[in-house]
Amino acid sequence: MSLAALAREHGTPLFVYSKQWMLDALGAYQRGFDGRDALICYAMKANSSLGVLRVFAEAGCGFDIVSGGELSRALAVGADPARIIFSGVGKTRAEMKQALDAGIGCFNVESEAELDVLNEVASTSNQRARISIRINPNVDPKTHPYISTGLKGNKFGIAHDRALHAYRHAAKLPGLDVVGIDCHIGSQITEMSPYLDACERILDLVEAIEAAGVPIRHLDFGGGLGIDYNGEVPPAADALWKQLLARLDARGFGNRKLIIEPGRSLVGNAGVCVTEVLYVKPGEDKNFCIIDAAMNDLPRPAMYQAFQNIVPLQMRSGGSDERTIYDVVGPICESGDWIGRDRSLNVEAGDLLAVLSSGAYCMSMSSNYNTRGRAAEVMVSGARATLIRRRETLEDQLRSELPREG
Ligand code: PLP
């Protein structure tokens, strides 16, 4: 499949995804859980485009959602509500009601106050909300501070020390049905040890909670497994789960229902963003390669100083390879609008580049900053390429703004 041909047909910037890559990534998890009672809930915040969700829904995945909007997206692709879990620190009453009415599998509750509000919302409509409490195990995931979520200073989950108290409280609330426990310690984790440490701490808690008379039917270990952006070698999903399952078996939890919430590792390396070089601009200190993709399309570098590989889609005629060191930047009026720093490239205006590893946390985090329309998206499956999102028009952007003339 020629990315250049797709770019010619659909324009740039253009996200292109490989369905097979997604299914292979999912396959590694499925192999890891072979013979176990396990539910893989794709964390759709990583990429919530309907065409991507459809791939995972058809493959039998559940979904991890963080808003009423994400719930609607999951239901729109035919997801089984019983396989949907609802995470997030700030669920509103309206979102709780929407999820209860849809019959979702479990709320991952992130604070004691949320337990009380959910109890109230469920009781008012004569329902019972199945819940698990997200524990903050205070384990360092050894990743970027903005994507660490399981440390004491993070806003997520209930502190390990408060957990038993919270479970006792939840078990007494008539609108709640305690079914599980969960943790998610961060994202882009490239080592096994943080998972193993978190697992031990969660199992210690489960023993204490069950000793207090509250049965825990499922264990949810979140997502977070990293991908290769710049030579990182994270453990394979099946290898990671082999180790984790050995721990669970050793401690007598091997038959417990398991849930996981992977996002990035299912889609990150399945996608690239194809972009055109608009201008090459030599500077006093730096040379700039100005492309038509920007921080509104690819927010990760600006947000987390993240690295994404950038490769040209054409060879220079004559085969010369005279490279220059460029900062690859977008057209947005922000110095933070860079996609790659100090990249060695042989490029000229009109060339196409592919920004790699753009399947996760790119389109789903994109914005209209500078009144830029969101990019188009194409899903490739074998020899077929399907447009799954058309390029956003100015009319799309202006539609919700008032007052409108004419
Ligand atoms: N679960 C929860 C609660 C999360 O907050 C996140 C990401 O922020 C995920 C799962 C998915 O993480 P990842 O994409 O790193 O697998």
Side-chain angles (χ1 to χ4, degrees), residues 39 41 62 75 79-85 102-106 130 257 259:
L39 174 62
C41 290
L75 296 177
D80 175 1
R83 291 171 159 246
I84 295 176
I85 57 175
I104 68 159
C106 186
R130 285 174 291 278
K257 177 172 181 176
I259 298 182

Side-chain angles (χ1 to χ4, degrees), residues 117-243:
V117 172
L118 183 57
N119 172 55
E120 185 194 309
V121 173
S123 301
T124 306
S125 53
N126 293 319
Q127 305 191 68
R128 274 187 100 200
R130 285 174 291 278
I131 66 126
S132 117
I133 295 183
R134 177 170 176 183
I135 306 304
N136 184 335
N138 196 25
V139 167
D140 184 358
K142 301 177 188 154
T143 184
H144 189 280
Y146 281 15
I147 45 178
S148 293
T149 56
L151 281 167
K152 264 188 186 169
N154 297 134
K155 69 177 175 180
F156 299 100
I158 290 179
H160 196 269
D161 298 348
R162 285 290 293 180
L164 187 53
H165 174 85
Y167 269 98
R168 282 202 172 108
H169 179 57
K172 287 192 205 122
L173 297 174
L176 304 186
D177 177 16
V178 177
V179 293
I181 190 166
D182 80 284
C183 75
H184 168 80
I185 54 175
S187 204
Q188 187 51 16
I189 300 169
T190 54
E191 295 176 33
M192 281 201 193
S193 59
Y195 280 104
L196 295 169
D197 293 349
C199 175
E200 297 290 358
R201 286 179 66 74
I202 292 296
L203 295 185
D204 291 346
L205 255 182
V206 174
E207 284 169 355
I209 295 163
E210 295 198 322
V214 184
I216 300 294
R217 302 209 287 272
H218 78 239
L219 313 173
D220 175 345
F221 288 101
L225 187 57
I227 61 170
D228 175 7
Y229 284 105
N230 190 19
E232 298 93 330
V233 190
D238 45 350
L240 172 67
W241 275 97
K242 195 168 172 209
Q243 297 271 332

Side-chain angles (χ1 to χ4, degrees), residues 277 279-283 285-291 307 310 312 316 322-329 338-349 351 353:
V277 177
Y279 301 100
V280 171
K281 176 171 163 178
D285 285 344
K286 291 255 182 192
N287 301 303
F288 295 100
C289 169
I290 302 169
I291 58 176
F307 180 95
I310 302 174
R316 279 272 77 76
E322 282 175 23
R323 288 162 174 261
T324 304
I325 304 294
Y326 290 104
D327 274 10
V328 180
V329 300
W338 57 275
I339 306 298
R341 289 208 159 120
D342 298 323
R343 302 300 172 88
S344 170
L345 293 167
N346 179 358
V347 282
E348 55 188 49
D351 282 0
L353 303 175

Side-chain angles (χ1 to χ4, degrees), residues 43 45-46 64 87 134 184 186-188 223-225 261-264 361:
K45 64 174 77 71
D64 172 42
S87 304
R134 177 170 176 183
H184 168 80
S187 204
Q188 187 51 16
L225 187 57
E261 309 161 5
R264 187 190 311 270
Y361 302 108

Side-chain angles (χ1 to χ4, degrees), residues 65-72 75 84 86-104 107 114 117-118 121-122 127 129:
I65 61 165
V66 289
S67 70
E70 286 197 346
L71 173 57
S72 299
L75 296 177
I84 295 176
F86 193 172
S87 304
V89 296
K91 302 174 193 80
T92 64
R93 284 178 162 80
E95 287 174 322
M96 290 172 176
K97 179 78 170 60
Q98 180 192 355
L100 281 166
D101 290 347
I104 68 159
F107 290 82
E114 186 190 330
V117 172
L118 183 57
V121 173
Q127 305 191 68

